[in-house]
Amino acid sequence: MKKLILIATLAMLCVNAHSQSRTVVYGILEDGVDFNSNVQGSHLVQLLSGVTAASKWGIRGTEDMGGGLTTIFQIAGTFDLNSGALFGNRIFSSNDFVGLRSNRLGTLTLGRQWDAVVDYIGPFTLNGNVGGAYLAHPNDIDNTDQGFHTSNAIKYSSPMIAGFTFEGLYAFGNTPGQFSQNASFSAGISYAFESFSAGIAYLRVNSPETATQGYQSGGGYTNAIYGSYLSAARAQNIFGVGASYKPFSMLTLLADFTNTTFQQGSAGHDATFQNYELSALVMPAPDITIGAGYTLTKGRDHATDASPTYDQYNLTAEYALSKRTSLYVIGAFQRARGDAPVAQIAVFNPSSNQKQAVGRVGIRSLF
């Protein structure tokens, strides 16, 4: 009841806000039906919410302070559309921050936020544009699909300067006597000119098992790809580069590379995974978007010299019924090889063999 009263109060504040505050309620509703060929040896048919985008509601706003300075804020919560349950049992589980934005100096925000890998590498992945979680690198090993937020963070984002933007983020661990435990640091830079854009970013998360709050199995599944490495790791380091090129209006080409290291994640030795992705977006009509891509993931356990490898092929198509509502279909196929015993498309439990395929039909509406 207290949660409902809080939500109702916030909504009333938005309705009654002065016009200069520009406060709005917004959100996403997303749902669909999945078919998975092999989940621990069995077929799976399910109704699942929040795949191409998390179902959420939020409040955001600005206040003009004069002289090119603006106060900004945002709070947002994600939830399961089918059960009504809050994600992570939090009212606000998404980006929640407050800060100042200057036209000349940039933006400084404090709160729960995305890191530089999400901001500067995610836009060059297929799942960062269409399709969402099922098209991510295996179990979103590099956070390019927004697998976790960074809590307790101070973030600076620059204005655009000659086509360049950059950002830096530091998240406090908030652990008495141990300043670096659970702390995170990220930085990135991007460049855009006409039809070309590119980005580079780095993220380090100390004590990732606790800092990311169970990220390796946060969706209720068992992570067979890197869960044991993450839980044992002293730190998780992610480096990524990405680029896009639009040769003509209906076609966008995307490419990205990421390297994720679980420091001391395997018997005191490192475990590393590299993702190589090529993809394309085609818009044959203004209301139709087709995406296709391939990701090669190569891992190495430095304690055992095991080399798991994964190939994933992705295809999706969206049809916009309006500016707010879209219908879509998704198909993904993953093949494990080398020392990888099972396949596992993000969000699902692993297969019983080295192959797994998923198809989905769904709807997404914005407000």
Side-chain angles (χ1 to χ4, degrees):
M1 175 62 74
K2 291 181 179 179
K3 293 179 180 179
L4 292 175
I5 293 173
L6 175 58
I7 292 171
T9 301
L10 290 170
M12 289 176 64
L13 287 173
C14 291
V15 172
N16 295 325
H18 295 296
S19 59
Q20 64 266 27
S21 70
R22 300 176 186 174
T23 304
V24 298
V25 177
Y26 72 97
I28 302 172
L29 301 175
E30 199 270 10
D31 214 351
V33 177
D34 298 326
F35 172 81
N36 190 304
S37 65
N38 185 332
V39 176
Q40 299 176 328
S42 301
H43 296 321
L44 172 66
V45 180
Q46 66 178 6
L47 181 67
L48 186 69
S49 172
V51 172
T52 63
S55 292
K56 69 169 66 174
W57 75 277
I59 303 170
R60 58 188 172 206
T62 63
E63 182 181 7
D64 189 353
M65 309 296 289
L69 185 65
T70 304
T71 302
I72 61 174
F73 77 88
Q74 176 177 298
I75 52 175
T78 55
F79 57 91
D80 183 344
L81 187 63
N82 296 311
S83 70
L86 297 172
F87 181 79
N89 199 32
R90 299 167 178 259
I91 296 177
F92 304 116
S93 54
S94 189
N95 280 1
D96 311 309
F97 58 81
V98 64
L100 295 172
R101 182 175 62 217
S102 167
N103 295 338
R104 185 171 59 90
L105 299 178
T107 302
L108 182 68
T109 49
L110 293 80
R112 179 175 166 88
Q113 306 175 71
W114 295 134
D115 60 76
V117 170
V118 171
D119 291 339
Y120 287 167
I121 308 302
F124 302 113
T125 65
L126 183 62
N127 58 279
N129 289 272
V130 291
Y134 296 167
L135 311 188
H137 303 159
N139 284 342
D140 195 21
I141 197 168
D142 47 20
N143 204 36
T144 53
D145 193 50
Q146 308 172 359
F148 61 86
H149 295 77
T150 303
S151 299
N152 309 315
I154 297 177
K155 178 178 178 179
Y156 169 77
S157 303
S158 77
M160 181 172 287
I161 304 171
F164 288 93
T165 59
F166 61 90
E167 76 172 47
L169 175 147
Y170 182 80
F172 293 87
N174 287 1
T175 304
Q178 296 178 320
F179 184 79
S180 63
Q181 185 174 340
N182 297 325
S184 301
F185 165 80
S186 73
I189 186 168
S190 68
Y191 175 74
F193 178 72
E194 295 182 350
S195 59
F196 174 80
S197 59
I200 182 170
Y202 171 77
L203 168 66
R204 177 184 174 89
V205 182
N206 294 333
S207 313
E209 164 73 3
T210 53
T212 59
Q213 302 160 343
Y215 154 60
Q216 80 281 9
S217 295
Y221 57 85
T222 299
N223 189 326
I225 295 177
Y226 64 88
S228 61
Y229 299 140
L230 187 144
S231 61
R234 178 171 175 267
Q236 181 180 4
N237 297 297
I238 301 170
F239 170 79
V241 294
S244 69
Y245 177 62
K246 197 167 187 175
F248 46 92
S249 61
M250 66 176 292
L251 175 65
T252 302
L253 303 176
L254 304 166
D256 65 88
F257 164 81
T258 64
N259 184 89
T260 300
T261 300
F262 298 101
Q263 188 176 340
Q264 300 178 9
S266 178
H269 295 265
D270 292 351
T272 59
F273 289 84
Q274 296 178 330
N275 293 290
Y276 305 82
E277 180 184 0
L278 294 173
S279 55
L281 298 171
V282 181
M283 294 188 66
D287 53 0
I288 298 175
T289 302
I290 299 170
Y294 165 73
T295 299
L296 169 64
T297 302
K298 301 179 70 174
R300 186 184 176 194
D301 184 330
H302 292 259
T304 64
D305 276 337
S307 298
T309 302
Y310 305 88
D311 302 286
Q312 184 159 326
Y313 304 86
N314 299 315
L315 183 64
T316 182
E318 293 192 1
Y319 175 65
L321 297 174
S322 67
K323 291 183 178 180
R324 291 175 45 190
T325 303
S326 296
L327 302 176
Y328 65 83
V329 294
I330 295 172
F333 171 75
Q334 186 185 105
R335 179 185 62 170
R337 52 191 175 92
D339 294 312
V342 296
Q344 186 174 21
I345 294 171
V347 182
F348 291 98
N349 273 307
S351 65
S352 60
N353 56 28
Q354 291 185 309
K355 296 179 181 179
Q356 190 175 66
V358 62
R360 177 177 174 87
V361 178
I363 182 172
R364 182 180 62 253
S365 186
L366 313 179
F367 65 87

